[in-house]
Coordinates of all heavy atoms in Angstrom, one line a residue:
E45 N -1.4 -4.5 -5.2 CA -0.5 -3.5 -4.6 C -0.9 -3.1 -3.1 O 0.0 -3.0 -2.3 CB -0.4 -2.3 -5.4 CG 0.3 -2.5 -6.8 CD 0.2 -1.3 -7.7 OE1 -0.8 -0.6 -7.7 OE2 1.1 -1.2 -8.6
I46 N -2.2 -3.0 -2.9 CA -2.6 -2.7 -1.5 C -2.3 -3.8 -0.6 O -1.8 -3.7 0.5 CB -4.1 -2.3 -1.5 CG1 -4.4 -1.0 -2.3 CG2 -4.6 -2.2 -0.1 CD1 -5.8 -0.7 -2.5
R47 N -2.6 -5.1 -1.1 CA -2.4 -6.3 -0.3 C -0.9 -6.4 0.0 O -0.5 -6.7 1.1 CB -2.9 -7.5 -0.9 CG -4.4 -7.6 -0.9 CD -4.9 -8.9 -1.5 NE -6.4 -8.9 -1.3 CZ -7.2 -9.5 -2.2 NH1 -6.7 -10.0 -3.3 NH2 -8.5 -9.5 -2.1
E48 N 0.0 -6.2 -1.0 CA 1.4 -6.4 -0.9 C 2.0 -5.4 0.1 O 2.9 -5.7 0.9 CB 2.1 -6.4 -2.2 CG 1.8 -7.6 -3.0 CD 2.4 -7.6 -4.4 OE1 2.9 -6.5 -4.9 OE2 2.4 -8.6 -5.1
T49 N 1.5 -4.1 0.0 CA 2.0 -3.1 0.9 C 1.6 -3.3 2.3 O 2.4 -3.2 3.2 CB 1.5 -1.7 0.4 OG1 1.9 -1.5 -1.0 CG2 2.0 -0.6 1.2
S50 N 0.4 -3.8 2.5 CA -0.1 -4.1 3.8 C 0.6 -5.3 4.4 O 1.0 -5.3 5.6 CB -1.6 -4.4 3.8 OG -2.3 -3.3 3.3
Q51 N 0.9 -6.2 3.5 CA 1.7 -7.4 4.0 C 3.1 -7.0 4.4 O 3.6 -7.5 5.5 CB 1.8 -8.4 2.8 CG 2.6 -9.7 3.1 CD 2.8 -10.5 1.9 OE1 3.5 -10.1 0.9 NE2 2.3 -11.7 1.9
R52 N 3.7 -6.1 3.8 CA 5.1 -5.6 4.2 C 5.0 -5.0 5.6 O 5.9 -5.2 6.3 CB 5.6 -4.7 3.1 CG 6.0 -5.3 1.8 CD 6.6 -4.3 0.9 NE 6.6 -5.0 -0.5 CZ 6.2 -4.4 -1.6 NH1 5.8 -3.1 -1.6 NH2 6.3 -5.0 -2.7
L53 N 4.0 -4.2 5.8 CA 3.9 -3.7 7.2 C 3.7 -4.8 8.2 O 4.2 -4.7 9.3 CB 2.7 -2.7 7.2 CG 2.5 -1.9 8.5 CD1 3.8 -1.1 8.9 CD2 1.3 -0.9 8.4
A54 N 2.9 -5.8 7.9 CA 2.7 -6.9 8.8 C 4.0 -7.6 9.0 O 4.3 -8.1 10.2 CB 1.6 -7.9 8.2
V55 N 4.8 -7.8 8.0 CA 6.1 -8.4 8.1 C 7.0 -7.5 9.0 O 7.7 -8.1 9.9 CB 6.8 -8.6 6.7 CG1 8.3 -8.9 6.8 CG2 6.1 -9.6 5.9
A56 N 7.0 -6.2 8.9 CA 7.8 -5.3 9.7 C 7.4 -5.5 11.2 O 8.2 -5.5 12.1 CB 7.6 -3.9 9.3
R57 N 6.1 -5.6 11.4 CA 5.6 -5.8 12.8 C 6.1 -7.1 13.4 O 6.6 -7.2 14.5 CB 4.1 -5.8 12.9 CG 3.5 -4.5 12.6 CD 2.0 -4.5 12.4 NE 1.4 -4.7 13.7 CZ 0.0 -4.8 13.8 NH1 -0.7 -4.8 12.8 NH2 -0.5 -5.0 15.0
Q58 N 6.1 -8.2 12.6 CA 6.6 -9.5 13.0 C 8.1 -9.5 13.3 O 8.6 -10.0 14.3 CB 6.3 -10.6 11.9 CG 4.8 -10.8 11.8 CD 4.2 -11.6 12.9 OE1 4.8 -12.5 13.4 NE2 3.0 -11.2 13.4
L59 N 8.8 -8.8 12.4 CA 10.3 -8.7 12.6 C 10.6 -7.9 13.8 O 11.5 -8.3 14.6 CB 10.9 -8.0 11.3 CG 11.1 -8.9 10.1 CD1 11.4 -8.0 8.9 CD2 12.1 -10.0 10.3
D60 N 9.9 -6.8 14.0 CA 10.1 -6.0 15.2 C 9.8 -6.8 16.5 O 10.5 -6.5 17.5 CB 9.2 -4.7 15.1 CG 9.6 -3.7 16.1 OD1 10.7 -3.3 16.2 OD2 8.7 -3.3 16.9
A61 N 8.9 -7.7 16.4 CA 8.6 -8.6 17.6 C 9.6 -9.7 17.8 O 9.5 -10.4 18.7 CB 7.2 -9.1 17.4
G62 N 10.6 -9.8 16.8 CA 11.6 -10.8 17.0 C 11.3 -12.2 16.4 O 12.0 -13.1 16.8
N63 N 10.3 -12.2 15.6 CA 9.8 -13.5 15.1 C 10.8 -14.0 14.0 O 11.4 -13.2 13.3 CB 8.4 -13.5 14.6 CG 7.4 -13.2 15.7 OD1 7.6 -13.7 16.8 ND2 6.4 -12.5 15.4
S64 N 10.9 -15.3 13.8 CA 11.8 -15.9 12.8 C 11.2 -15.7 11.4 O 10.0 -15.5 11.2 CB 12.0 -17.4 13.1 OG 10.8 -18.1 12.8
Y65 N 12.0 -15.8 10.4 CA 11.6 -15.7 9.0 C 10.5 -16.8 8.7 O 9.5 -16.5 8.1 CB 12.8 -15.9 8.0 CG 13.5 -14.6 7.8 CD1 13.8 -13.7 8.7 CD2 14.1 -14.4 6.5 CE1 14.5 -12.5 8.5 CE2 14.8 -13.3 6.2 CZ 15.1 -12.3 7.2 OH 15.8 -11.2 6.9
A66 N 10.8 -18.0 9.2 CA 9.9 -19.1 9.0 C 8.5 -18.8 9.5 O 7.5 -19.1 8.9 CB 10.4 -20.4 9.5
S67 N 8.4 -18.3 10.7 CA 7.1 -18.0 11.3 C 6.4 -16.9 10.7 O 5.2 -16.9 10.5 CB 7.2 -17.8 12.9 OG 7.9 -16.6 13.1
I68 N 7.2 -15.9 10.2 CA 6.7 -14.7 9.5 C 6.1 -15.2 8.2 O 5.0 -14.7 7.8 CB 7.7 -13.6 9.3 CG1 8.1 -13.1 10.7 CG2 7.2 -12.5 8.4 CD1 9.4 -12.2 10.7
E69 N 6.8 -16.0 7.5 CA 6.4 -16.5 6.2 C 5.0 -17.3 6.4 O 4.1 -17.1 5.6 CB 7.4 -17.5 5.6 CG 7.3 -17.7 4.2 CD 8.5 -18.5 3.6 OE1 9.5 -18.6 4.3 OE2 8.4 -18.8 2.4
K70 N 5.0 -18.1 7.5 CA 3.7 -18.8 7.7 C 2.5 -17.9 8.1 O 1.4 -18.1 7.6 CB 4.0 -19.8 8.9 CG 2.9 -20.8 9.1 CD 3.3 -21.8 10.2 CE 2.3 -22.9 10.3 NZ 2.8 -23.9 11.3
V71 N 2.8 -16.9 8.9 CA 1.7 -16.0 9.4 C 1.2 -15.1 8.3 O 0.0 -14.8 8.1 CB 2.2 -15.2 10.6 CG1 1.2 -14.1 11.0 CG2 2.4 -16.2 11.8
T72 N 2.2 -14.5 7.6 CA 1.9 -13.4 6.6 C 1.7 -13.9 5.2 O 1.1 -13.2 4.3 CB 2.9 -12.3 6.6 OG1 4.2 -12.8 6.1 CG2 3.1 -11.7 8.0
G73 N 2.4 -15.1 4.8 CA 2.4 -15.5 3.5 C 3.4 -14.8 2.6 O 3.5 -15.0 1.4

Side-chain angles (χ1 to χ4, degrees):
E45 290 168 332
I46 293 170
R47 286 185 179 144
E48 288 174 352
T49 303
S50 300
Q51 181 187 61
R52 289 181 193 134
L53 185 56
V55 167
R57 290 170 75 181
Q58 295 285 320
L59 286 166
D60 191 57
N63 296 325
S64 69
Y65 278 34
S67 69
I68 295 169
E69 197 168 355
K70 189 173 186 177
V71 170
T72 66

